[in-house]
Amino acid sequence: MKATKQHKDSSGRGKAHQTSYPYRISIAVAKVVKMIVIFIGALIGLLFGWIIGRIFKAIGWLISAFTMLAIIYWLLTKL
C-alpha cells in the first residue's frame, strides 16, 4: 500500500526530527538551573517580606507610643 498525500500530512510533523544528546542535556540543565533560581528568589522574597513586616510592626509601635505621649501631654496641659 502506497502512502497518499493525506497519510503523509497527518503523520505528525511530516519529517522525522530527533534532537541531539547535548541539546537534550542542555535543556535539562537549564530546567534545573531555572528551578534553583526560582527557589532562591522565593527564599529571598520571604526573607525581605519578614524583615519589612518586622519594620512596619516596629513603626506601628512607635506611632502608638508617640500618640500616647501626645495625648498625655495634651491632657496634662489642659487641666
Side-chain angles (χ1 to χ4, degrees):
M1 177 177 185
K2 187 174 179 184
T4 63
K5 184 172 180 356
Q6 182 180 5
H7 287 106
K8 290 178 184 176
D9 289 342
S10 66
S11 63
R13 291 185 236 183
K15 295 181 179 178
H17 180 71
Q18 186 174 5
T19 58
S20 66
Y21 181 72
Y23 177 77
R24 290 192 307 264
I25 293 297
S26 66
I27 293 297
V29 168
K31 287 180 181 180
V32 170
V33 169
K34 181 177 81 170
M35 292 305 294
I36 291 171
V37 168
I38 289 173
F39 180 73
I40 291 172
L43 287 178
I44 290 172
L46 286 172
L47 182 66
F48 278 142
W50 179 74
I51 290 171
I52 290 172
R54 303 282 290 186
I55 289 171
F56 281 136
K57 190 180 287 189
I59 290 172
W61 277 105
L62 287 173
I63 291 171
S64 297
F66 286 139
T67 305
M68 179 189 65
L69 291 174
I71 291 171
I72 291 172
Y73 175 77
W74 180 72
L75 286 174
L76 290 176
T77 57
K78 293 294 180 185
L79 294 178

